[in-house]
């Protein structure tokens, strides 16, 4: 075999093999070609065997040429193999049908009660504004629940809060969280910024009144606190709760433990103040009661009302929750009906 | 308090629509809404003159009237017996829509043509009087609009008054606020009286024996009154304010009450024995029948008006049946008195009566203004009842009440409100509210408070008046320097806050129940008669028989939540209550309770199947304790709570004290509450937990050497506990047996009835070198021997 014929044959072998590799349509085809070309009985191997029949002088050149062909075939095979693998994975994944609309598998799908959720949110806002949480007993004395809060004996103001009594009138179930003000003031010295969340009781039950409900009370006592500060804090609070576009309206009102007192309305969240069923067409929702702490209350806890002034505010958690979630019957809140609770 | 817009117009000059009026009053703290808008009701009704009445040819009870309705005569068929020629009547001509929506059309009535309708008061919705047509009084012209001559197209507003504003429980009070707000002048009606020559002293004398309850008592005498119906205008106004007309005498006292806010009482003078009024405390057990026909038992805390022999009225609350004005009454003794608010309030509350009169006396009436009210009513009795007024009045007023004086410092006003209010503005507001300026200088103004303002006494009260009339919207919003100060937040509060989040994250729902229970609840949870949880706090005035006591435990609330056979996972954080020593406040403790149901949400998709059991509950409890970092310091110990299965329950012990318990609810309790499935409950004392310091968490070094893992299955008697086996494995495998965990329990016939098999996963490790398999085998063998000795355990074949 002459030089020319050998090299010509190798070139042909190479180009034929590369063409075969390029047309291999699957991993299987590539593997079969590998065996056919490089296997023990393969083309290249058998060529290598023929080298022994060449002369000493011819062998190195022929061997080198053959190896070069072998290398390029190997390279082509592995390239083809990897592209075929990629193609096959892609095709397999493309081919499969999968329903992503089946429900997710639940992981700890618990939930907060609307009252708890709202309470938590409100407490969080006031804590960020610098108020600390203080709590008090649910069973109170007349002194703390009424007298020290400037509800005189035999005064019609007491009719505002129908009271449950316990132990033959010796004590009562607190009708509001305001007695916590008294406890907190007696225990500490001003300045004070406190919120008092908790459960309260009134002898009243219908679709909007529950004998057991929750309030959040807050007060701030310092030097030179004025009504504008009360407006400021409540505006900050309402804006965090309902958004910056919410409007507030302060109307004069009466609470024995504050003077001047105010009812605070916020623009209706549902109709943006245009008027709807929830706000009874007024565009406003009554959310808070507030006012400057009455000097008689400060006097009752031994604070000098000429030196210290303060404001106080309070709201019903159920009312905020019912408005927030559109709940129209307050009794639903206390029945632990899983179909109700699991909606929040 | 109902307000008649048209009546108010007569009392004060103002130029506000009813809507604007409601808005203005609300802005003053008198929350007002429009209750009943009658503006369109009577606009087409005309006044007609009945010229002729003839009988209907085809019907006995019908008449055919010829009515002049303003230049045109109309034939109108009318069924009212009282229709007569010469009457002025309200006529609805064809096309008119009546207040109830009925449109009048010409039509034939029993064959006779009728061109309209002569209306009764009821048909015009002016009263409930259906008895006949309405006959109009006064100099009228046929064809005039009814609304132009009579107060009919009214708007009724309602003010929700706060208890401090008793002075606004009347038309003049409201008018005064309007006047102060808009500057229009207040026009109190005059009260002209023509007195006879006969002195009142001849007919009546008054003695007050309880001046602390009755500081002032006055009386007027009106003789020869003709009892009859009141004129239309008065009845209309009374009804507009929700008062039912009775007769002219009673109506006049009610009318003046609504107008001035001062309760008056008219006695039939002939029933006042001895012509003497004695204002005294009731005797203990004295019986008295009020004019509603109910007999009341009184005590010396009640004040009565008596004559020489007996009580004739329950002072300030309700008149007596024995002295009320009747159709035959001729001489009227008119009472106008001032009663102490607390006395009236106690009496009304104790007897369960709330009258227009007691409601106002409780809130405070005008000790001086009562003279005006008395004269106003006397004047009306003279004009409308035709009575003769005796000369003078009886007025017993032993200790005249002086007016309160209060000083407003302008600097204080501004420091409370946070704005600068002009001195003239502030003073002007007080003056418009009828507070007389006594002194004024650069820094302050001192005013005298009229008697009708019970709520004004201190400087802060005056500040509120200025703020109210100056407008809350003028107060400028600013942000205070809020600093929490040295208030330390409660550990228990913080525990509760984080626990809620944890419980939610592990799949529990937050529940809320009432704090109330009833005694049968304690039976349902099977408490023995002397169980400590029976020390419940009773409510004196419960709303319902189900809510008679404060709950001593969360258990009844949790169990009774499980009404349905569905998947339930609840927790509740709330207080429980117990009676302590005599005179001591009841105890209040924060508890965390939880309940999970046996039934799991079905469906293979959820990846959960089967049922929950006791160990799910235990897992929840452990997760709570571990979350709080006290799992390591807790021990479990056998318990005997009656509401659990006797063997399926445990106490949670920390530092030797039980802080909670958990268990499977007793079948009898399930039955009592109609719970349709097995449920598992726990209750933990959070105040107790708050007192426990979590064990500090200290990092233990990770071993560089691999561990050898082995499983072991042991057959033991059913009475042998898992815990004792683990303990035995650990002690015999020490120090190499680091992890020992139960992973399976099996009971079966092949093991025998009183046997069970428990399988454990074990991990052996030495921190200084790698254990060989042979070493692990030796440890395993040692454990097998040990557990046999300790617990009689056999290696399961
Ligand atoms: Zn709305």
């Amino acid at each position: 075999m002459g030089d020319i014929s050998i090299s010509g044959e190798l070139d042909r072998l190479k180009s034929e093999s590369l063409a075969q590799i390029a047309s291999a349509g699957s991993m299987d085809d590539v593997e079969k070609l590998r065996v056919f070309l490089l296997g023990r009985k393969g083309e290249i191997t058998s060529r290598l065997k023929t080298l022994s029949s060449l002369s000493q002088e011819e062998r190195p050149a022929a061997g080198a040429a053959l190896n070069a062909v072998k290398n390029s075939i190997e390279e082509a095979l592995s390239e083809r193999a990897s592209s075929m693998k990629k193609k096959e994975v892609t095709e397999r994944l493309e081919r499969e049908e999968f329903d992503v609309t089946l429900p997710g598998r639940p992981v700890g799908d618990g939930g907060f009660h609307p009252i708890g959720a709202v309470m938590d949110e409100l407490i969080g806002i006031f804590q960020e504004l610098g108020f600390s949480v203080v709590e008090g007993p649910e069973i109170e004395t007349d002194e703390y629940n009424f007298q020290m809060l400037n509800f005189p004996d035999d005064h019609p103001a007491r009719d505002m809060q129908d009271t449950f009594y316990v132990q033959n009138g010796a004590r009562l179930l607190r009708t509001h969280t305001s007695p916590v003000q008294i406890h907190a003031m007696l225990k500490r010295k001003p300045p004070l910024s406190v919120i008092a969340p908790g459960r309260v009781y009134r002898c009243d039950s219908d679709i909007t009144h529950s004998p057991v409900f929750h309030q959040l009370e807050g007060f701030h006592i310092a030097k030179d606190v004025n009504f504008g500060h009360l407006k400021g804090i409540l505006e900050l609070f309402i804006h965090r709760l309902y958004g910056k576009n919410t409007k507030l309206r302060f109307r004069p009102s009466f609470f024995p433990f504050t003077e001047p007192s105010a009812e605070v309305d916020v623009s209706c969240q549902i109709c943006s103040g245009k008027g709807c069923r929830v706000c009874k067409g007024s565009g406003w929702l009554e959310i808070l009661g507030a006012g400057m702490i009455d000097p008689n209350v400060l006097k009752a806890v031994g604070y000098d009302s000429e030196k210290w002034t303060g404001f106080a505010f309070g709201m019903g958690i159920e009312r905020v929750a019912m408005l927030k979630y559109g709940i129209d019957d307050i009794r639903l809140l206390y029945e632990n009906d899983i179909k109700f609770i699991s909606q929040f | 308090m109902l307000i008649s817009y048209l009546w108010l117009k007569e009392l004060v000059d103002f130029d506000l629509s009813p809507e604007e009026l409601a808005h203005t009053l609300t802005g003053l703290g008198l929350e007002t809404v429009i209750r009943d808008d009658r503006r369109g009701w009577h606009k087409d009704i005309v006044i007609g003159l009945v010229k002729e009445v003839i009988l209907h040819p085809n019907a006995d009870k019908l008449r055919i009237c010829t009515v002049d309705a303003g230049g045109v005569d109309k034939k109108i068929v009318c069924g009212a017996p009282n229709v007569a020629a010469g009457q002025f009547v309200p006529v609805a001509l064809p096309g008119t829509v009546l207040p109830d929506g009925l449109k009048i059309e010409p039509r034939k009535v029993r064959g006779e043509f009728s061109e309209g309708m002569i209306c009764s008061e009821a048909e015009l919705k002016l009263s409930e009087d259906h008895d006949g047509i309405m006959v109009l009084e006064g100099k009228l012209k046929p064809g005039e609009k009814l609304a132009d001559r009579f107060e009919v197209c009214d708007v009724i507003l309602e003010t929700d008054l706060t208890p401090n504003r008793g002075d606004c429980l009347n038309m003049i009070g409201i008018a005064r606020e309007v006047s102060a707000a808009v500057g229009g002048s207040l026009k109190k009606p005059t009260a002209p009286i023509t007195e006879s020559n006969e002195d009142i002293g001849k007919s009546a004398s008054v003695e007050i024996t309880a001046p602390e309850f009755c500081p002032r008592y006055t009386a007027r005498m009106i003789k020869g009154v003709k009892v009859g119906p009141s004129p239309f205008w008065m009845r209309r106004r009374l009804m507009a304010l929700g008062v039912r007309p009775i007769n002219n005498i009673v109506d006049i006292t009610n009318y003046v009450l609504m107008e001035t806010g001062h309760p008056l009482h008219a006695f039939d003078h002939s029933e006042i024995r001895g012509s003497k009024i004695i204002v005294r405390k009731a005797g203990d057990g004295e019986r008295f029948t009020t004019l509603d026909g109910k007999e009341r038992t009184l005590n010396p805390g009640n004040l009565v008006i008596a004559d020489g022999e007996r009580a004739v009225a329950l002072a300030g609350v309700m008149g007596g049946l024995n002295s009320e004005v009747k159709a035959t009454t001729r001489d009227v003794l008119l009472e106008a008195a001032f009663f102490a608010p607390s006395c009236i309030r106690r009496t009304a509350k104790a007897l369960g009566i709330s009258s227009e009169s007691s409601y106002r006396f409780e809130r405070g009436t005008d000790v001086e203004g009562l003279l005006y009210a008395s004269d106003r009513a006397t004047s009306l009795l003279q004009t409308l009842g035709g009575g003769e007024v005796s000369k003078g009045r009886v007025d017993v007023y032993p200790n005249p009440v002086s007016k309160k004086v209060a000083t407003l410092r302008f600097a204080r006003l501004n420091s409370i409100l946070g704005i600068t209010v002009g001195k003239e503005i502030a003073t002007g507001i007080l003056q418009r509210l009828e507070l007389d300026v006594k002194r004024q200088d650069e820094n302050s103004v001192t005013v005298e408070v009229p008697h009708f303002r019970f709520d004004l006494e201190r400087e802060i009260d005056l500040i509120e008046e200025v703020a109210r009339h100056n407008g809350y919207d003028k107060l400028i919003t600013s942000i205070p320097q809020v600093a929490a100060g040295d208030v330390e937040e409660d550990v228990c509060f913080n525990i509760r806050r984080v626990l809620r989040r944890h419980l939610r994250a592990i799949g529990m729902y937050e529940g809320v129940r009432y704090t109330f229970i009833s005694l049968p609840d304690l039976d349902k949870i099977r408490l023995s008669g002397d169980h400590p949880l029976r020390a419940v706090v009773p409510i004196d005035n419960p709303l319902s028989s189900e809510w008679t006591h404060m709950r001593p435990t969360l258990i009844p609330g949790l169990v009774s939540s499980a009404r349905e056979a569905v998947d339930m996972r609840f927790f509740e954080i709330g207080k429980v209550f117990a009676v302590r020593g005599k005179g001591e406040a009841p105890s209040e403790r924060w508890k965390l309770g939880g309940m999970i149901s046996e039934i799991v949400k079905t469906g293979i998709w959820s990846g959960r199947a089967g049922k929950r059991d006791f160990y799910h509950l235990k897992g929840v409890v452990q997760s709570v304790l571990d979350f709080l970092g006290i799992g390591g310091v807790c021990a479990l110990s056998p318990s005997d709570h009656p509401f659990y299965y006797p063997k399926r329950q445990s106490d949670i012990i920390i530092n030797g004290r039980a802080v909670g318990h958990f268990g499977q609810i007793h079948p009898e309790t399930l039955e009592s509450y109609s719970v349709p499935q097995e449920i598992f409950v726990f209750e933990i004392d959070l105040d107790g937990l708050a007192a426990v310091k979590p064990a500090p968490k200290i990092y233990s070094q990770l071993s560089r050497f691999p561990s050898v893992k082995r499983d072991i299955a042991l057959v033991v008697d059913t009475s042998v506990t898992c815990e004792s086996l683990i303990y035995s494995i650990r002690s015999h495998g020490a120090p190499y047996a680091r992890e020992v965990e139960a992973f399976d329990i099996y009971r079966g016939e092949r093991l025998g009835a009183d046997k069970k098999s428990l399988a454990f996963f074990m991990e052996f490790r030495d921190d200084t070198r790698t254990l060989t398999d042979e070493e692990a085998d030796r440890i395993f063998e040692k454990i097998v021997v040990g557990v046999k000795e300790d617990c009689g355990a056999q290696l399961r074949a």
Side-chain angles (χ1 to χ4, degrees):
Chain A
M1 249 190 257
D3 277 349
I4 293 167
S5 76
I6 289 177
S7 73
E9 202 176 339
L10 281 178
D11 279 349
R12 194 170 42 79
L13 175 64
K14 183 181 166 186
S15 64
E16 273 175 14
S17 302
L18 291 180
Q20 278 175 304
I21 291 167
S23 65
S26 69
M27 283 287 285
D28 259 7
D29 293 351
V30 176
E31 201 45 44
K32 277 179 191 151
L33 271 174
R34 183 192 305 281
V35 174
F36 175 71
L37 295 171
L38 302 175
R40 250 187 291 167
K41 289 176 184 167
E43 291 272 317
I44 300 294
T45 318
S46 46
R47 291 292 161 146
L48 279 170
K49 282 176 186 158
T50 63
L51 283 181
S52 53
S53 61
L54 291 180
S55 66
Q56 283 293 94
E57 296 77 38
E58 284 173 319
R59 245 183 253 169
L66 194 55
N67 260 330
V69 171
K70 186 188 172 194
N71 287 343
S72 45
I73 288 174
E74 271 176 346
E75 199 177 312
L77 277 171
S78 77
E79 239 169 53
R80 189 64 187 168
S82 85
S83 82
M84 276 307 102
K85 186 175 177 187
K86 201 170 179 177
K87 181 178 161 231
E88 277 176 27
V89 169
T90 308
E91 278 176 0
R92 179 165 54 80
L93 299 189
E94 287 297 331
R95 250 195 328 273
E96 79 165 1
E97 293 296 345
F98 189 82
D99 186 358
V100 295
T101 68
L102 278 166
R105 294 197 167 97
V107 193
D109 54 344
F112 289 140
H113 192 279
I115 293 173
V118 165
M119 187 71 105
D120 211 34
E121 185 179 3
L122 303 189
I123 290 172
I125 294 173
F126 281 110
Q127 283 182 326
E128 281 174 30
L129 294 177
F131 289 79
S132 334
V133 176
V134 172
E135 294 176 301
E138 290 176 21
I139 298 180
E140 272 293 358
T141 58
D142 189 271
E143 190 186 6
Y144 278 80
N145 194 76
F146 288 127
Q147 291 166 38
M148 293 179 86
L149 288 162
N150 197 32
F151 284 79
D153 264 340
D154 287 323
H155 192 276
R158 292 195 171 207
D159 292 347
M160 294 164 90
Q161 305 187 353
D162 287 334
T163 309
F164 282 114
Y165 290 91
V166 298
Q167 298 179 308
N168 300 318
R171 290 194 168 75
L172 49 81
L173 305 185
R174 66 175 176 191
T175 55
H176 47 180
T177 42
S178 308
V180 183
Q181 282 185 34
I182 302 294
H183 288 290
M185 289 187 222
L186 283 175
K187 211 179 278 175
R188 299 173 181 86
K189 296 250 167 298
L192 275 174
S193 311
V194 164
I195 50 166
R199 193 170 261 220
V200 300
Y201 302 84
R202 291 198 195 159
C203 204
D204 199 356
S205 182
D206 61 37
I207 190 163
T208 53
H209 295 91
S210 164
V212 178
F213 61 104
H214 299 78
Q215 284 187 338
L216 184 114
E217 179 99 2
F219 69 95
H220 169 65
I221 299 177
K223 284 177 182 158
D224 299 323
V225 175
N226 64 51
F227 203 107
H229 295 135
L230 168 63
K231 284 182 102 173
I233 279 290
L234 292 183
E235 192 174 283
L236 266 182
F237 161 67
I238 290 295
H239 283 175
R240 294 215 186 168
L241 184 64
Y242 291 130
K244 286 240 180 241
N245 293 326
T246 310
K247 291 186 189 66
L248 281 84
R249 181 173 77 173
F250 287 72
R251 284 186 284 115
S253 189
F254 168 74
F255 306 106
F257 40 96
T258 54
E259 186 160 4
S261 302
E263 294 272 10
V264 186
D265 302 331
V266 300
S267 51
C268 178
Q269 296 309 296
I270 290 149
C271 62
S272 311
K274 286 184 206 76
C276 69
R277 187 181 58 87
V278 174
C279 59
K280 292 181 187 124
S282 71
W284 294 97
L285 297 168
E286 200 179 306
I287 293 274
L288 287 143
M292 300 300 292
I293 297 175
D294 194 288
N296 282 355
V297 175
L298 295 173
K299 199 170 128 198
V301 296
Y303 288 12
D304 180 354
S305 64
E306 287 289 312
K307 192 171 158 195
W308 302 102
T309 49
F311 60 73
F313 54 86
M315 71 202 88
I317 301 303
E318 275 79 353
R319 175 151 173 83
V320 177
M322 288 171 81
L323 290 172
K324 177 168 181 165
Y325 301 108
I327 300 164
D328 53 7
D329 185 344
I330 198 167
R331 291 168 292 204
L332 282 171
L333 293 169
Y334 312 97
E335 285 169 0
N336 272 13
D337 185 332
I338 192 83
K339 293 192 287 297
F340 174 76
I341 303 283
S342 57
Q343 293 181 26
F344 304 97
Chain B
M1 167 77 196
L2 295 171
I3 302 169
S4 155
Y5 179 76
L6 294 179
W7 187 353
L8 192 67
K9 277 263 177 195
E10 197 179 272
L11 294 172
V12 56
D13 288 324
F14 67 96
D15 194 17
L16 301 171
S17 68
E19 289 78 7
E20 289 164 339
L21 176 66
H23 185 259
T24 300
L25 289 173
T26 300
L28 296 173
L30 311 170
E31 200 177 341
T32 303
V33 292
I34 292 180
R35 205 35 92 207
D36 198 358
D37 188 345
R38 306 174 179 177
R39 273 173 287 193
W41 279 14
H42 313 96
K43 62 182 194 320
D44 298 325
I45 306 287
V46 297
I47 295 170
L49 174 62
V50 182
K51 291 166 81 175
E52 188 188 34
V53 178
I54 57 167
L55 292 174
H56 192 293
N58 307 324
D60 289 349
K61 291 192 174 153
L62 295 179
R63 288 164 180 78
I64 300 165
C65 309
T66 307
V67 179
D68 175 359
V72 280
D73 285 355
K74 301 276 183 188
K75 293 263 188 258
I76 299 175
V77 176
C78 179
N82 66 330
V83 68
Q87 289 170 337
F88 282 103
V89 291
V91 177
L93 293 173
T96 299
V97 179
L98 293 181
D100 63 3
L102 179 74
K103 192 174 178 187
I104 303 299
E105 307 279 7
R107 62 189 183 120
K108 278 202 169 162
V109 181
R110 293 286 189 99
E112 292 293 325
F113 201 60
S114 182
E115 304 171 89
M117 183 165 116
I118 303 175
C119 304
S120 69
E121 288 183 9
E123 281 153 349
L124 294 177
K125 265 191 151 175
L126 293 168
S127 79
E128 284 160 15
D129 188 356
H130 281 281
D131 285 351
I133 51 148
M134 181 178 179
V135 179
L136 303 172
E137 300 144 358
K139 284 188 179 152
L140 305 168
K141 271 205 294 265
E144 282 181 301
K145 289 271 161 86
L146 181 73
D148 291 343
R149 296 301 306 271
F150 293 89
E151 219 177 57
V152 285
C153 290
D154 202 356
V155 178
I156 310 302
L157 300 102
E158 184 166 13
T159 300
D160 188 7
L161 286 169
T162 52
N164 58 328
R165 295 306 303 274
D167 64 295
C168 285
L169 283 165
N170 59 81
M171 292 300 297
I172 290 175
I174 299 285
R176 186 181 295 118
E177 285 286 333
V178 174
S179 157
V182 305
S185 54
L186 185 66
K187 299 176 290 186
K188 280 164 79 170
T190 54
I193 299 168
T194 311
E195 293 180 344
S196 70
N197 291 326
E198 189 184 294
D199 197 276
I200 188 168
K202 284 202 165 158
S203 328
S205 66
V206 170
E207 184 193 346
I208 302 173
T209 68
E212 69 275 32
F213 286 175
C214 177
R216 187 177 201 181
Y217 195 99
T218 75
R220 278 268 196 186
M221 183 72 198
I222 304 96
K223 289 189 158 177
V225 178
K226 276 195 282 301
V227 178
S230 308
F232 169 72
W233 65 267
M234 178 175 279
R235 286 185 289 119
R236 210 283 312 172
R237 285 186 173 183
L238 285 174
M239 287 183 294
L241 268 62
V243 180
R244 194 167 56 91
I246 294 167
N247 61 46
N248 52 357
I249 299 173
V250 176
D251 290 354
I252 286 166
T253 59
N254 283 335
Y255 183 83
V256 174
L257 169 71
M258 290 298 162
E259 187 175 66
T260 67
H262 208 287
L264 302 169
H265 189 68
F267 292 102
D268 182 333
H269 182 260
S270 67
E271 294 293 346
I272 307 296
R273 296 181 189 161
S275 293
K276 185 177 169 67
I277 290 283
I278 302 163
V279 185
R280 61 163 171 86
K281 291 177 183 172
D284 205 358
E286 181 172 353
R287 285 164 183 269
F288 177 68
T289 305
T290 41
L291 55 76
D292 55 6
K294 288 188 184 135
E295 193 187 56
R296 321 267 179 181
T297 305
L298 309 179
N299 65 55
N302 311 132
L303 187 71
V304 295
I305 311 302
D307 59 19
E309 298 172 14
R310 56 189 183 154
V312 290
L314 189 54
V317 179
M318 198 176 270
L321 196 59
N322 53 16
S323 61
E324 84 173 311
V325 170
K326 298 170 282 287
T328 54
T329 299
R330 287 195 42 78
D331 301 341
V332 170
L333 186 71
L334 183 72
E335 164 199 294
F338 179 83
F339 300 117
S342 61
C343 164
I344 301 301
R345 181 174 160 80
R346 274 199 303 271
T347 300
K349 268 198 107 100
L351 299 177
I353 308 172
S354 180
S355 62
E356 295 280 1
S357 163
S358 69
Y359 193 77
R360 286 172 176 77
F361 277 123
E362 275 180 33
R363 281 157 178 76
T365 53
D366 187 345
V367 71
E368 286 184 355
L370 61 83
L371 294 184
Y372 168 72
S374 173
D375 287 352
R376 171 80 171 130
T378 303
S379 169
L380 288 168
L381 281 166
Q382 188 160 47
T383 347
L384 305 176
E388 195 168 81
V389 179
S390 299
K391 202 161 115 197
R393 75 171 98 237
V394 183
D395 184 357
V396 184
Y397 190 18
N399 300 303
V401 182
S402 55
K403 284 184 180 164
K404 291 171 287 188
V405 173
T407 298
L408 173 68
R409 292 165 296 166
F410 299 119
R412 179 72 172 173
L413 170 71
N414 295 336
S415 81
I416 293 287
L417 299 186
I419 55 169
T420 305
V421 181
K423 293 169 192 172
E424 305 72 31
I425 292 176
T427 308
I429 288 170
L430 298 179
Q431 283 174 316
R432 287 207 299 282
L433 289 165
E434 298 185 26
L435 280 72
D436 286 336
V437 172
K438 295 310 247 183
R439 280 190 306 281
Q440 185 172 11
D441 59 29
E442 267 306 287
N443 303 317
S444 67
V445 57
T446 299
V447 293
E448 206 172 57
V449 179
H451 286 294
F452 55 79
R453 287 305 297 269
F454 264 69
D455 58 328
L456 304 185
E457 191 169 358
R458 304 167 298 158
E459 182 178 43
I460 195 72
D461 302 328
L462 302 183
I463 291 173
E464 181 173 55
E465 291 307 287
V466 173
R468 209 162 60 81
H469 275 275
N470 192 50
Y472 276 17
D473 49 350
K474 292 204 185 81
L475 302 175
I476 295 163
T477 298
S478 64
I479 307 296
Q481 290 287 320
V482 174
D486 64 347
V487 180
E488 197 176 299
E489 278 186 15
D490 190 17
V491 178
C492 183
F493 173 78
N494 287 325
I495 286 184
R496 276 179 269 135
R497 249 189 132 188
V498 295
L499 262 184
R500 289 177 64 242
R501 295 188 169 86
H502 173 70
L503 286 156
R504 180 189 188 224
I506 63 169
M508 303 279 283
Y509 287 103
E510 184 179 32
V512 172
R513 306 296 331 252
Y514 282 165
T515 326
F516 306 137
I517 55 135
S518 65
L519 293 179
D521 282 308
L522 303 181
D523 300 331
K524 287 176 179 176
I525 61 169
R526 306 179 69 255
L527 299 185
S528 59
D530 57 353
H531 196 283
L533 287 179
R534 286 211 180 250
V536 286
V537 181
I539 295 163
D540 298 345
N541 51 336
L543 263 183
S544 142
S545 61
E546 292 166 56
W547 304 331
T548 54
H549 291 75
M550 300 301 280
R551 63 182 177 196
T553 160
L554 303 178
I555 304 262
L558 290 166
V559 174
S560 62
S561 302
R563 291 170 295 261
E564 289 175 72
V566 297
D567 184 350
M568 273 174 296
R569 294 153 275 151
F570 276 117
F571 72 94
E572 177 172 8
I573 293 174
K575 278 186 174 175
V576 303
F577 303 83
V579 170
R580 289 197 291 196
K582 230 184 156 47
E584 262 186 286
S587 74
E588 299 185 18
R589 294 191 78 87
W590 283 104
K591 297 276 179 178
L592 163 67
M595 181 266 287
I596 58 174
S597 61
E598 167 192 45
I599 291 175
V600 179
K601 200 155 120 192
T602 49
I604 44 160
W605 186 257
S606 68
R608 295 172 301 188
K611 288 180 169 181
R612 289 198 199 92
D613 60 17
F614 177 87
Y615 302 106
H616 284 96
L617 173 72
K618 189 173 171 184
V620 171
V621 171
Q622 275 170 341
S623 135
V624 166
L625 300 174
D626 288 342
F627 176 74
L628 296 175
I630 53 179
V633 296
C634 284
L636 300 183
S637 111
S639 57
D640 59 349
H641 300 287
F643 35 80
Y644 295 136
Y645 275 63
K647 297 289 177 65
R648 302 184 181 191
Q649 56 170 293
S650 178
D651 270 343
I652 304 161
I653 309 286
I654 298 179
N655 300 336
R657 220 169 56 80
V659 295
H661 47 77
F662 58 97
Q664 183 167 357
I665 291 295
H666 196 282
E668 283 176 16
T669 299
L670 293 181
E671 202 183 326
S672 307
Y673 283 107
S674 308
V675 175
Q677 59 168 322
E678 297 287 328
I679 55 171
F680 310 89
V681 166
F682 68 92
E683 187 175 45
I684 296 175
D685 185 79
L686 295 180
D687 288 310
L689 287 197
V692 177
K693 273 223 169 86
K697 286 184 176 165
I698 293 165
Y699 152 78
S700 63
Q701 204 153 27
L702 305 179
S703 175
R704 286 179 293 124
F705 300 97
S707 55
V708 180
K709 299 176 176 71
R710 292 289 166 93
D711 290 349
I712 187 169
L714 298 167
V715 177
V716 289
D717 287 351
T718 47
S719 62
V720 175
T721 65
C722 173
E723 197 176 20
S724 61
L725 279 168
I726 290 181
Y727 181 79
S728 178
I729 293 170
R730 278 182 181 283
S731 53
H732 295 285
Y736 308 105
R738 300 298 174 89
E739 302 288 335
V740 181
E741 249 173 60
F743 69 86
D744 192 29
I745 179 164
Y746 171 78
R747 280 196 179 95
E749 273 177 33
R750 283 190 296 132
L751 297 177
D754 54 351
K755 296 282 182 189
K756 65 182 175 186
S757 158
L758 277 159
F760 298 90
F761 161 83
M762 303 181 294
E763 213 175 313
F764 304 149
R765 197 172 65 228
D766 187 317
D767 290 335
T768 58
R769 62 199 174 84
T770 303
L771 289 175
T772 63
D773 273 358
E774 293 70 34
E775 284 171 313
D777 288 344
R778 278 200 297 281
I779 298 165
F780 190 92
E781 289 309 322
K782 194 165 169 256
I783 288 170
V784 171
V785 173
V787 294
K788 185 173 182 189
E789 213 164 275
D790 294 348
C791 310
Q794 297 286 346
L795 206 55
R796 189 175 167 196

